[in-house]
Amino acid sequence: MADSTVEAASGVPHRRHDTREAVLFGGVYGAVLASSLVAALTQHGHSSAASRRYDALWVLVTAFASALAHGYAHYIAERGPRRRWTSFRALANEWPLIAAVLPTVFVLAGAGWGWWPPTEVEEPAFLLNIAILFTLGVITARGSRRHWSAALLLGLGDALLGVIVVVANALIK
């Protein structure tokens, strides 16, 4: 009942807000996860084509495991009556996390398939994920009807999460 009151007052269906929120949360989480995994997987100097294919697979497996864990946690935390497909919907709502890691998987797999040097994937993966974070921040802010200046600042704030991973990687190495 409360949801219909919110919908009537705002004129915007509640589901649309949930989707935008899920895309931001899952996308940010996925991009930061992908950057962190690239930093961890490239830390030990394994840079052959075979190791890049292995890295791509592990980034994908980790993303799926994280999405399943996050979806399951949402399902368990939900109070109230459950419908038949609620658990599947909770898991399906984690698609933004998977989508956010796919560019990194592509970079790693491409190096594994010989499309570019396997020793040079860390920087492009970091830059790609920082760009994803920035874009998610801007698009989400604009979708919330914020001015361009605020949207760009929020995009920079999201991108800063990726920069933190890069700086941490440099300090740890």
Side-chain angles (χ1 to χ4, degrees), residues 82-141:
R82 306 238 166 109
R83 295 189 183 124
R84 180 176 302 221
W85 299 103
T86 304
S87 61
F88 292 113
R89 190 174 39 231
L91 296 175
N93 287 338
E94 299 302 320
W95 68 265
L97 191 157
I98 305 296
V101 303
L102 291 178
T104 299
V105 169
F106 178 74
V107 167
L108 292 168
W113 294 324
W115 295 349
W116 40 80
T119 57
E120 299 176 16
V121 296
E122 197 171 21
E123 187 176 321
F126 287 154
L127 292 173
L128 184 60
N129 286 312
I130 291 169
I132 289 169
L133 289 164
F134 176 78
T135 303
L136 282 170
V138 171
I139 289 172
T140 303

Side-chain angles (χ1 to χ4, degrees), residues 16 22 78 91 94 101 147 166:
R16 200 166 148 217
E78 184 180 289
L91 296 175
E94 299 302 320
V101 303
H147 293 285
V166 172

Side-chain angles (χ1 to χ4, degrees), residues 6-21:
V6 170
E7 289 177 25
S10 67
V12 177
H14 186 67
R15 181 85 178 124
R16 200 166 148 217
H17 176 71
D18 288 343
T19 301
R20 184 173 54 232
E21 195 172 274

